[in-house]
Amino acid sequence: MKIEKNRVVRFHYTVSEPGQPPVETSKDREPLAVLIGHGNIIPGLEDAMLDHVAGDSFEATVGSDQAYGERREGLIQRVPKKHFRETRLQPGQQVVLNSSMGPRAVTVVKVGGTVVDVDLNHPMAGKTLQFQVEIVDVREAEQVEIDHGHVHGEGGTQH
Ligand code: ZN
């Protein structure tokens, strides 16, 4: 069964910047399950998956415009230290900040006595990404999954 809109694909991935060691992989956990055609993963990766079938392995290079977008200036924000769960913060560290818009991955820029400057850009903004993908299986989505726009059950939303 080919990967196309309104099908659910489970896959393993490893992502890196070209020529760099991997920054993230799913290999140490369950494969990711995604409903195709509903904007659940970055567009460049979804495009590269189309028409592949279970068992396929392939590489995809995705430009920032098809990934997490360009880095934007002016997204440095000063945040009171008490908003961080971590006690030892270092410049360059990626942490999750609980903002009014929900949890958000940020990068620590500078650590002061009581405040921390963080960069709100997505850590992978402005970067070309190299994906190594292994398709585990492909199935038709349930109607309720299509209605909700996401995967239910194994690897997806539990509700
Ligand atoms: Zn749902």
Side-chain angles (χ1 to χ4, degrees), residues 130-149:
Q130 182 94 49
F131 287 91
Q132 173 67 46
V133 179
E134 287 173 41
I135 306 300
V136 176
D137 50 40
V138 185
R139 65 169 169 85
E140 297 288 356
E142 308 283 343
Q143 186 57 47
V144 65
E145 292 176 313
I146 295 168
D147 292 345
H148 286 198

Side-chain angles (χ1 to χ4, degrees), residues 144-145 148 150-152 157 159:
V144 65
E145 292 176 313
H148 286 198
H150 57 226
V151 175
H152 288 173
T157 304
H159 70 155

Side-chain angles (χ1 to χ4, degrees), residues 47-68:
D47 281 353
M49 282 191 178
L50 295 177
D51 292 337
H52 277 287
V53 296
D56 280 2
S57 271
F58 59 93
E59 287 192 359
T61 302
V62 179
S64 59
D65 58 324
Q66 291 295 306
Y68 294 98

Side-chain angles (χ1 to χ4, degrees), residues 12-16 22-27 130-133:
H12 276 297
Y13 70 95
T14 300
V15 60
S16 55
V23 288
E24 195 184 321
T25 181
S26 64
K27 290 278 178 63
Q130 182 94 49
F131 287 91
Q132 173 67 46
V133 179

